[in-house]
Amino acid sequence: MLFRNREGGSAFQAPPPSDGESAPSIEVALTPEEVLTVRCASLAEQYGLTPRERDIFPLLAQGHTMPAISERLFVSENTVKSHAKRIYQKLGIHARVELIDLVNRAGDEDAAREQ
């Protein structure tokens, strides 16, 4: 099974059926939020983010504010700031715009590898 976003970017292939028969490929469009989540998960794995940092990372990439993230995750704003600081350190960036650029570049690189 093949999953592809609307821009033709990220594609995911499901494992073949266990009975040895090949299944027809079915394309499923991912929403922009799903594409972002997949890109963030890939980067989180690559850079060794903790589970809580993995919760915060996509919210930062979506442009949510620190107060909005703290409210959504039921933690203090200072906790979000601490996690965000560690995320930035691990990714080697200094600002949210760099974080968003990194996530977008990861998607561009994935698309280039597929072609």
Side-chain angles (χ1 to χ4, degrees), residues 48-103:
L49 300 185
T50 66
R52 195 49 148 178
E53 290 167 351
R54 289 171 190 240
D55 293 339
I56 293 171
F57 181 39
L59 297 173
L60 290 171
Q62 290 171 0
H64 292 282
T65 63
M66 299 288 179
I69 295 170
S70 78
E71 190 172 305
R72 185 171 182 165
L73 298 179
F74 304 103
V75 296
S76 76
E77 194 172 330
N78 285 332
T79 299
V80 174
K81 288 178 183 178
S82 295
H83 286 300
K85 182 179 177 180
R86 282 193 298 276
I87 291 168
Y88 287 12
Q89 287 172 341
K90 289 180 180 181
L91 299 177
I93 58 175
H94 301 93
R96 187 180 305 225
V97 69
E98 291 176 282
L99 182 140
I100 293 168
D101 287 344
L102 179 66
V103 172

Side-chain angles (χ1 to χ4, degrees), residues 3-63:
F3 300 94
R4 185 176 293 281
N5 73 9
R6 293 174 196 196
E7 295 84 30
S10 301
F12 305 95
Q13 186 142 7
S18 60
D19 61 6
E21 293 182 23
S22 62
S25 291
I26 300 172
E27 290 194 25
V28 177
L30 298 176
T31 66
E33 186 173 290
E34 291 169 330
V35 171
L36 180 87
T37 300
V38 169
R39 288 178 184 176
C40 288
S42 175
L43 287 168
E45 179 73 26
Q46 181 181 345
Y47 287 94
L49 300 185
T50 66
R52 195 49 148 178
E53 290 167 351
R54 289 171 190 240
D55 293 339
I56 293 171
F57 181 39
L59 297 173
L60 290 171
Q62 290 171 0

